[in-house]
Amino acid sequence: MSGTRDVENKVKVLSADPDAAAVLKGWAAQEDALLDVAGLDLTGADISGADLANGLLTETVLRKANLSGCDLYRANLEGAVLAEADLSGASLVKAVLDEASLAGANLDDADLGSAELWGADASGASLRGSKLEGAALLETKLYGADLSHATVRETSFKVFLDDRSIVDGLTGTVFGPARVAGAEGVREVSGRDLEVWLNERGARVEVLTP
């Protein structure tokens, strides 16, 4: 019975994919096991609140999965599909999210301190109240993303923005340049111009000189 309870505690909803479900069951039955679901389909799975530190989730499909409150410290999510996933309140400190899809994901109050998001697509994602201190947002798409009241500190902010991107209450310091999409195409915005663009939209951000 204890093994069954462990599975239920760690995994509230299994993936519909039988291979992924079997791996999740095996992981949940072991104490302090490292999660390795690289390349598997965990669409819709619920492993909220789980300890996934140092987990291997490269190219894992986690569309609409519930990862809220998970500890993903140093987890490798390179190329993962996290579209519409719930990562609210999750710890993604030093996680690798290069080329991950976060479109429409919920990252409210998540901690992405020192996380790597090179080439990630977070279009339409909600990052309200998230912590982005020291994060590397490089070539990251934030079209239509909501960064209300998020915090940054010496954050690499070489991102793609548009007029739908919400930055009201965003505070701290960033390194640019960003690229802003508009009716006339995409233009690079750096230094004081980037400060003005952000702060006119309710941010309180200082753009640092490298």
Side-chain angles (χ1 to χ4, degrees):
M1 288 294 292
S2 62
T4 302
R5 284 200 300 272
D6 288 343
V7 171
E8 291 174 349
N9 288 337
K10 285 186 175 182
V11 184
K12 285 80 171 176
V13 177
L14 285 167
S15 167
D17 181 87
D19 293 335
V23 172
L24 281 179
K25 284 181 180 179
W27 163 75
Q30 299 176 57
E31 190 173 349
D32 300 324
L34 183 75
L35 180 65
D36 182 354
V37 287
L40 295 178
D41 187 348
L42 272 63
T43 297
D46 182 351
I47 47 177
S48 53
D51 181 0
L52 309 177
N54 298 298
L56 299 173
L57 298 99
T58 52
E59 300 184 357
T60 303
V61 178
L62 291 152
R63 188 178 285 108
K64 296 185 178 181
N66 188 349
L67 301 166
S68 60
C70 283
D71 182 0
L72 286 149
Y73 174 74
R74 285 191 183 275
N76 191 332
L77 293 134
E78 185 173 357
V81 179
L82 292 149
E84 299 181 65
D86 185 355
L87 289 147
S88 58
S91 173
L92 290 144
V93 174
K94 296 187 177 180
V96 177
L97 290 145
D98 295 343
E99 298 187 311
S101 171
L102 292 154
N106 179 359
L107 290 142
D108 292 350
D109 299 313
D111 189 347
L112 290 111
S114 300
E116 298 177 19
L117 290 98
W118 177 83
D121 184 357
S123 299
S126 182
L127 292 125
R128 296 171 65 89
S130 62
K131 298 177 182 177
L132 297 160
E133 285 91 345
L137 280 68
L138 305 172
E139 308 295 323
T140 304
K141 293 177 182 174
L142 293 172
Y143 296 132
D146 187 349
L147 286 90
S148 300
H149 303 288
T151 55
V152 287
R153 188 180 69 248
E154 297 185 2
T155 299
S156 296
F157 204 66
K158 297 180 180 180
V159 299
F160 292 91
L161 302 163
D162 61 14
D163 286 334
R164 297 173 299 124
S165 305
I166 302 170
V167 294
D168 182 50
L170 176 69
T171 57
T173 57
V174 298
F175 294 101
R179 277 175 276 180
V180 178
E184 299 178 356
V186 180
R187 62 189 177 94
E188 186 171 286
V189 185
S190 60
R192 177 62 181 159
D193 291 338
L194 179 55
E195 257 183 39
V196 169
W197 193 93
L198 293 167
N199 294 344
E200 281 183 344
R201 290 163 173 78
R204 299 188 301 279
V205 169
E206 178 187 356
V207 176
L208 304 172
T209 302

Short mmCIF file of all heavy atoms in Angstrom, two decimals, residues 137-138 155-159 173-179 188-191 194 206-210:
data_model
loop_
_atom_site.label_atom_id
_atom_site.label_comp_id
_atom_site.label_asym_id
_atom_site.label_seq_id
_atom_site.Cartn_x
_atom_site.Cartn_y
_atom_site.Cartn_z
N LEU A 137 17.44 35.87 -20.64
CA LEU A 137 16.39 35.84 -21.65
C LEU A 137 17.00 36.34 -22.95
O LEU A 137 17.12 37.54 -23.18
CB LEU A 137 15.21 36.72 -21.23
CG LEU A 137 14.22 36.12 -20.22
CD1 LEU A 137 14.86 35.93 -18.85
CD2 LEU A 137 12.99 37.00 -20.08
N LEU A 138 17.44 35.42 -23.76
CA LEU A 138 18.17 35.74 -24.99
C LEU A 138 17.39 35.21 -26.18
O LEU A 138 17.13 34.00 -26.27
CB LEU A 138 19.57 35.13 -24.95
CG LEU A 138 20.42 35.49 -23.73
CD1 LEU A 138 21.70 34.66 -23.71
CD2 LEU A 138 20.76 36.97 -23.74
N THR A 155 19.28 41.30 -15.34
CA THR A 155 18.70 40.25 -16.19
C THR A 155 19.00 40.55 -17.66
O THR A 155 18.80 41.68 -18.11
CB THR A 155 17.17 40.20 -15.97
OG1 THR A 155 16.92 39.88 -14.60
CG2 THR A 155 16.52 39.16 -16.87
N SER A 156 19.48 39.57 -18.37
CA SER A 156 19.67 39.74 -19.82
C SER A 156 18.29 39.74 -20.46
O SER A 156 17.57 38.74 -20.39
CB SER A 156 20.53 38.61 -20.38
OG SER A 156 21.83 38.65 -19.82
N PHE A 157 17.94 40.85 -21.09
CA PHE A 157 16.57 41.06 -21.57
C PHE A 157 16.59 41.30 -23.08
O PHE A 157 16.03 42.26 -23.59
CB PHE A 157 15.96 42.25 -20.82
CG PHE A 157 14.46 42.27 -20.77
CD1 PHE A 157 13.75 41.29 -20.08
CD2 PHE A 157 13.75 43.29 -21.38
CE1 PHE A 157 12.37 41.33 -20.02
CE2 PHE A 157 12.35 43.33 -21.32
CZ PHE A 157 11.67 42.35 -20.64
N LYS A 158 17.25 40.39 -23.78
CA LYS A 158 17.33 40.49 -25.24
C LYS A 158 16.15 39.72 -25.81
O LYS A 158 16.29 38.62 -26.36
CB LYS A 158 18.68 39.96 -25.73
CG LYS A 158 19.85 40.79 -25.19
CD LYS A 158 21.20 40.28 -25.68
CE LYS A 158 22.33 41.13 -25.12
NZ LYS A 158 23.66 40.68 -25.57
N VAL A 159 14.98 40.34 -25.66
CA VAL A 159 13.72 39.66 -25.91
C VAL A 159 12.96 40.30 -27.07
O VAL A 159 13.30 41.40 -27.52
CB VAL A 159 12.84 39.68 -24.64
CG1 VAL A 159 13.53 38.96 -23.49
CG2 VAL A 159 12.51 41.12 -24.23
N THR A 173 16.54 45.89 -12.86
CA THR A 173 17.55 46.28 -13.85
C THR A 173 17.71 45.20 -14.90
O THR A 173 17.66 44.00 -14.60
CB THR A 173 18.90 46.54 -13.18
OG1 THR A 173 19.32 45.36 -12.46
CG2 THR A 173 18.82 47.71 -12.19
N VAL A 174 17.93 45.64 -16.15
CA VAL A 174 18.10 44.69 -17.25
C VAL A 174 19.22 45.15 -18.17
O VAL A 174 19.61 46.32 -18.19
CB VAL A 174 16.81 44.54 -18.09
CG1 VAL A 174 15.66 44.00 -17.26
CG2 VAL A 174 16.43 45.86 -18.78
N PHE A 175 19.72 44.20 -18.94
CA PHE A 175 20.60 44.50 -20.06
C PHE A 175 19.79 44.28 -21.34
O PHE A 175 19.14 43.25 -21.49
CB PHE A 175 21.82 43.56 -20.07
CG PHE A 175 22.75 43.73 -18.91
CD1 PHE A 175 22.72 42.85 -17.84
CD2 PHE A 175 23.66 44.78 -18.89
CE1 PHE A 175 23.59 43.00 -16.77
CE2 PHE A 175 24.54 44.94 -17.82
CZ PHE A 175 24.50 44.05 -16.76
N GLY A 176 19.87 45.25 -22.26
CA GLY A 176 19.20 45.10 -23.55
C GLY A 176 20.19 44.55 -24.56
O GLY A 176 21.22 43.97 -24.20
N PRO A 177 19.92 44.76 -25.84
CA PRO A 177 18.72 45.43 -26.36
C PRO A 177 17.57 44.45 -26.55
O PRO A 177 17.78 43.25 -26.67
CB PRO A 177 19.20 45.95 -27.72
CG PRO A 177 20.20 44.92 -28.16
CD PRO A 177 20.89 44.44 -26.90
N ALA A 178 16.36 45.02 -26.57
CA ALA A 178 15.18 44.24 -26.90
C ALA A 178 14.77 44.57 -28.33
O ALA A 178 15.26 45.53 -28.93
CB ALA A 178 14.04 44.57 -25.93
N ARG A 179 13.89 43.74 -28.88
CA ARG A 179 13.34 44.04 -30.20
C ARG A 179 11.83 44.11 -30.07
O ARG A 179 11.20 43.23 -29.50
CB ARG A 179 13.77 42.98 -31.21
CG ARG A 179 15.16 43.28 -31.77
CD ARG A 179 15.67 42.19 -32.68
NE ARG A 179 16.29 41.12 -31.92
CZ ARG A 179 16.83 40.04 -32.47
NH1 ARG A 179 16.79 39.87 -33.78
NH2 ARG A 179 17.39 39.11 -31.72
N GLU A 188 15.03 47.34 -33.16
CA GLU A 188 15.85 47.13 -31.95
C GLU A 188 15.77 48.36 -31.07
O GLU A 188 15.89 49.49 -31.55
CB GLU A 188 17.30 46.85 -32.35
CG GLU A 188 18.18 46.47 -31.16
CD GLU A 188 19.55 45.98 -31.60
OE1 GLU A 188 19.63 44.85 -32.10
OE2 GLU A 188 20.52 46.74 -31.43
N VAL A 189 15.57 48.14 -29.78
CA VAL A 189 15.45 49.23 -28.82
C VAL A 189 16.43 48.97 -27.69
O VAL A 189 16.42 47.89 -27.08
CB VAL A 189 14.02 49.35 -28.26
CG1 VAL A 189 13.90 50.57 -27.36
CG2 VAL A 189 13.00 49.42 -29.38
N SER A 190 17.29 49.92 -27.40
CA SER A 190 18.32 49.71 -26.37
C SER A 190 18.46 50.95 -25.49
O SER A 190 17.89 52.01 -25.78
CB SER A 190 19.67 49.39 -27.03
OG SER A 190 20.08 50.44 -27.87
N GLY A 191 19.24 50.78 -24.43
CA GLY A 191 19.59 51.91 -23.57
C GLY A 191 18.40 52.72 -23.10
O GLY A 191 17.38 52.18 -22.67
N LEU A 194 14.95 51.94 -24.56
CA LEU A 194 14.29 50.77 -23.99
C LEU A 194 13.68 51.11 -22.63
O LEU A 194 12.56 50.69 -22.32
CB LEU A 194 15.27 49.61 -23.86
CG LEU A 194 14.72 48.31 -23.24
CD1 LEU A 194 13.49 47.81 -23.99
CD2 LEU A 194 15.80 47.23 -23.21
N GLU A 206 15.54 50.07 -14.91
CA GLU A 206 16.76 50.74 -15.36
C GLU A 206 17.47 49.81 -16.34
O GLU A 206 17.68 48.63 -16.03
CB GLU A 206 17.67 51.08 -14.20
CG GLU A 206 18.97 51.73 -14.61
CD GLU A 206 19.95 51.91 -13.46
OE1 GLU A 206 19.59 51.58 -12.31
OE2 GLU A 206 21.09 52.36 -13.72
N VAL A 207 17.83 50.34 -17.50
CA VAL A 207 18.57 49.55 -18.47
C VAL A 207 20.06 49.81 -18.27
O VAL A 207 20.52 50.95 -18.36
CB VAL A 207 18.15 49.90 -19.91
CG1 VAL A 207 18.99 49.13 -20.92
CG2 VAL A 207 16.67 49.57 -20.13
N LEU A 208 20.80 48.77 -17.98
CA LEU A 208 22.22 48.89 -17.67
C LEU A 208 23.07 48.86 -18.93
O LEU A 208 22.68 48.27 -19.94
CB LEU A 208 22.66 47.75 -16.75
CG LEU A 208 21.88 47.61 -15.42
CD1 LEU A 208 22.29 46.33 -14.72
CD2 LEU A 208 22.11 48.82 -14.53
N THR A 209 24.23 49.48 -18.85
CA THR A 209 25.20 49.41 -19.95
C THR A 209 26.16 48.25 -19.68
O THR A 209 26.73 48.15 -18.59
CB THR A 209 26.01 50.71 -20.02
OG1 THR A 209 25.10 51.80 -20.20
CG2 THR A 209 26.99 50.67 -21.18
N PRO A 210 26.31 47.35 -20.63
CA PRO A 210 27.18 46.19 -20.43
C PRO A 210 28.61 46.61 -20.11
O PRO A 210 29.09 47.62 -20.62
CB PRO A 210 27.12 45.44 -21.76
CG PRO A 210 25.84 45.90 -22.39
CD PRO A 210 25.65 47.31 -21.96
#
